[in-house]
Amino acid sequence: MKKILAIVLVLMMVLSLAACGGSSKKEALTMATNAYFPPYEYYENDKIVGIDAEVAAVIAEKLGMELVIEDMDFGSIIAAVQTGKCSMGMAGMTVTEERLESVNFSDVYAVGVQVVIVNEGSDIASLDDLAGKKIGVQENTTGDIYATDDFGDDFIERYPKGSDAVLALTQGKIDAVIIDNEPAKNFVASNDGLVILDTEYAIEDYAIAVAKDNEDLLKDINKALAELTADGTLDKIVAKYIPAE
Ligand code: GLN
């Protein structure tokens, strides 16, 4: 009987070691994102790269954690953070009053500008010309929220990804796309016949979303952000993805 117990105990130890993968396994820092938003997050082959992915990797390293990126719809990110499914949301995400009701935001690490993309030769030359036109947006983004407010639900076409909205524009299904400026520049560079209007639609701050009950992580992230801003790491990462004009 004793022998059996001993064997069972040894087996249990072996199994639990295997489950933990040894003592060197780091705790995961899971980042919820939507990886169709170049240059902040996008797929290069099957790897998610970009400014947010690299900044997050540096933060994880500073926290002694292992970064795990989870790609999901943009509209699911806040809930994933709020429910603790993911440790943080990083997706070129704008700080808004409404989102602050559900999550906390880190210090600001980038500025975003909502811009308007149209087809070359379009009769839309300024924001005023957008009235009555079909405007494409990425669902649940600030572009969606502001444009719905300003131009009315009937005139807004929502797409799961920014790239889907741009595709619809190139196909003439819609008249304009409202989206963040850096992704806009990427989309215009990779599609012929598109231009960005000179007028800016909205200027906003990007930050990292953290669950309201996770004050410790928020503090750690802010400390890491301050360090990587002060030592030039942030600038270096940004310069790698956004060439100086
Ligand atoms: N900055 C916009 C927002 O937070 C868009 C972000 C995105 O599409 N990833 O709503």
Side-chain angles (χ1 to χ4, degrees):
M1 190 62 199
K2 263 203 182 138
K3 226 186 205 169
I4 293 176
L5 194 67
I7 292 171
V8 168
L9 277 176
V10 167
L11 261 178
M12 277 170 65
M13 275 170 66
V14 169
L15 283 176
S16 70
L17 266 183
C20 297
S23 58
S24 67
K25 182 111 162 73
K26 292 179 188 166
E27 201 187 325
L29 180 72
T30 44
M31 162 180 157
T33 199
N34 175 254
Y36 297 88
F37 199 67
Y40 291 97
E41 41 269 324
Y42 58 99
Y43 282 95
E44 212 170 69
N45 302 315
D46 51 5
K47 193 172 177 255
I48 297 173
V49 298
I51 294 170
D52 288 347
E54 286 208 26
V55 170
V58 177
I59 292 173
E61 199 189 318
K62 283 181 183 289
L63 302 189
M65 296 170 87
E66 187 202 345
L67 180 67
V68 177
I69 301 181
E70 288 202 27
D71 186 16
M72 59 186 73
D73 285 345
F74 183 80
S76 304
I77 297 173
I78 297 277
V81 172
Q82 206 178 8
T83 57
K85 190 176 163 277
C86 291
S87 338
M88 63 179 196
M90 197 172 185
M93 186 177 277
T94 304
V95 181
T96 69
E97 289 302 321
E98 201 193 332
R99 290 173 186 164
L100 276 166
E101 285 172 18
S102 311
V103 290
N104 282 334
F105 277 102
S106 71
D107 293 333
V108 172
Y109 67 92
V111 169
V113 183
Q114 295 294 316
V115 295
V116 183
I117 311 176
V118 294
N119 284 308
E120 253 165 25
S122 162
D123 57 358
I124 302 169
S126 74
L127 294 173
D128 294 338
D129 301 332
L130 283 173
K133 301 285 188 186
K134 276 241 166 293
I135 304 167
V137 294
Q138 185 186 358
E139 207 166 9
N140 291 307
T141 61
T142 47
D144 177 5
I145 298 160
Y146 305 153
T148 304
D149 255 14
D150 287 348
F151 303 102
D153 197 46
D154 288 353
F155 299 97
I156 307 301
E157 292 290 330
R158 300 186 178 85
Y159 300 88
K161 300 171 194 152
S163 49
D164 297 336
V166 171
L167 182 66
L169 177 63
T170 61
Q171 293 169 340
K173 291 180 182 160
I174 51 176
D175 303 306
V177 170
I178 295 182
I179 195 162
D180 304 48
N181 57 332
E182 291 303 334
K185 282 195 236 162
N186 269 265
F187 292 136
V188 167
S190 53
N191 290 279
D192 283 339
L194 298 179
V195 288
I196 299 174
L197 296 188
D198 286 336
T199 20
E200 294 172 341
Y201 183 48
I203 298 179
E204 28 190 48
D205 292 328
Y206 290 171
I208 301 169
V210 179
K212 281 204 186 279
D213 59 6
N214 207 346
E215 290 283 347
D216 287 346
L217 180 64
L218 187 67
K219 256 186 229 146
D220 288 345
I221 287 176
N222 279 336
K223 184 165 173 278
L225 273 179
E227 285 170 11
L228 65 90
T229 304
D231 70 8
T233 305
L234 179 62
D235 284 345
K236 234 184 259 166
I237 294 172
V238 170
K240 178 174 157 190
Y241 288 97
I242 305 178
E245 273 152 31

